[in-house]
Amino acid sequence: MPDAIFFPHNPSCPRRRAGAFSLIALLAAVLCWSMSAGAQELLLAADFDDKPLDQPIGTGGAALGEPVSVPARMDAVVRDDVMSGKALAISWNTPGTGAGSARFQWRDDMEIRTGTVSIWLRVTPGMAPAEDWVGGYPVNLREAGSSAKSFGTLYFSRTRTASVSDATGGPATLLFGFTWSPGESYLIEWVYDMDAGTYNLSIDGQPYISNRPHNVDMGDRGLGALLVGIGSSSHPDSRIDVDDILVTWSGEGIFADGFEPIQ
C-alpha cells in the first residue's frame, strides 16, 4: 500500500495515511476540499461495510451502495479475506470466453456532460498470470445502461502491466513504470473535465495520464457508469476485489436521463 493518499489539498485539512484509509475518510477529504473548491455532488459511495459477509451483493444501485447488475455467470460476494475489511469479490461461477463486469451507476442513473467528475476506487487483482492465461482485469467508464461510449478503460493485463484506452481507438496506451502484483491493492483516481473532454489518471497518488482527450462523441449521452470485472479468455479462477468506490461531481450543469436539471 502507498505511504499516503493524496487529494486536492486544502491546507486546513490534514492528509490521511493509507493505513487509516476508508471511504468515510475519503468523504471527509472531499467535503473539506469542497469548502475551497466549490460544492460537490455525491454520485456514488460504496464501501460494502453494511453488507452481510460472505453473501452475494444486491443490485439496488447507488442508493444502496450496490451495483445495478451482475452477470448471471459471475459471482459478486462480500468478502473479508483479501482487502482490509469488507470488499466486493468478483469472480466466475460459470467461466467462458467472454468478459464480464459488475456495473455501478450514479444516483438516479445520472449521466454527466459538464463540469468535473472525480472517481476513486480501490482494486485488488487476483491470481498471478499463467502462460495459458490471456485475459486480465478491466475497469471501465461508460454511459448509463449500456457500453457504447468508451470514456476510459484501465486494463490490468496478464503481463502484470496496465494500459489505458478510450474512444480514440488504436492500440492501448501502456502505463510506463507501473506493474501490478496479485493480491496487492491499488487506489485508482480518475478526474474528468467534461467541458474540455479530457481526463487524468493516477494510481496510488502517482499520475500516469494527464489531460488526455477521451474522444467520445457524446451526443445526448454522458459519463454515467463504472464497470469492474474480468476480461475475455481469462483463467477460470480469476478474481478481482473492489472497495471504497466514490464518485463526485462539481460544475454548473448536471443532468439525469431526459436531461432535466437536478435541483
Side-chain angles (χ1 to χ4, degrees):
M1 296 179 67
D3 289 336
I5 303 300
F6 295 101
F7 305 101
H9 187 51
N10 180 337
S12 65
C13 304
R15 296 193 187 276
R16 301 206 174 237
R17 303 290 296 178
F21 179 81
S22 69
L23 184 62
I24 293 174
L26 185 53
L27 277 167
V30 170
L31 292 174
C32 192
W33 170 44
S34 73
M35 288 187 278
S36 60
Q40 303 287 301
E41 291 277 352
L42 181 62
L43 302 181
L44 171 64
D47 66 2
F48 313 110
D49 288 346
D50 62 337
K51 307 304 178 186
L53 190 62
D54 298 324
Q55 296 296 314
I57 194 71
T59 52
L64 298 180
E66 298 175 351
V68 297
S69 64
V70 177
R73 60 196 181 90
M74 301 194 82
D75 290 324
V77 178
V78 177
R79 303 290 191 194
D80 186 6
D81 58 352
V82 171
M83 303 180 79
S84 178
K86 292 181 180 178
L88 187 65
I90 300 168
S91 60
W92 299 118
N93 60 50
T94 308
T97 58
S101 297
R103 172 182 283 266
F104 295 85
Q105 296 188 170
W106 317 156
R107 62 182 178 89
D108 300 322
D109 294 330
M110 293 179 185
E111 291 183 343
I112 309 301
R113 298 175 58 197
T114 65
T116 301
V117 182
S118 299
I119 300 142
W120 292 272
L121 67 154
R122 187 174 291 279
V123 299
T124 304
M127 63 171 294
E131 290 183 2
D132 59 349
W133 180 47
V134 298
Y137 300 102
V139 180
N140 302 317
L141 295 176
R142 301 292 186 263
E143 76 277 22
S146 56
S147 295
K149 306 295 185 180
S150 181
F151 287 95
T153 293
L154 173 62
Y155 196 84
F156 293 85
S157 75
R158 66 178 297 273
T159 60
R160 302 199 191 190
T161 60
S163 61
V164 165
S165 59
D166 45 45
T168 302
T173 299
L174 187 68
L175 302 187
F176 289 106
F178 176 79
T179 57
W180 65 274
S181 298
E184 292 293 324
S185 294
Y186 301 95
L187 179 66
I188 301 167
E189 180 185 2
W190 258 302
V191 179
Y192 275 74
D193 184 334
M194 302 303 293
D195 299 303
T198 60
Y199 64 94
N200 301 334
L201 170 68
S202 298
I203 301 177
D204 288 343
Q206 173 66 41
Y208 287 97
I209 299 291
S210 297
N211 297 318
R212 175 182 168 116
H214 57 66
N215 285 315
V216 172
D217 181 6
M218 287 194 291
D220 60 353
R221 304 304 302 268
L223 179 55
L226 166 71
L227 294 86
V228 181
I230 302 172
S232 59
S233 300
S234 292
H235 193 282
D237 294 330
S238 296
R239 167 178 162 178
I240 185 170
D241 287 37
V242 60
D243 195 12
D244 296 319
I245 302 171
L246 181 66
V247 182
T248 67
W249 168 88
S250 62
E252 294 296 329
I254 185 168
F255 297 91
D257 187 39
F259 308 112
E260 297 177 358
I262 301 300
Q263 303 298 325

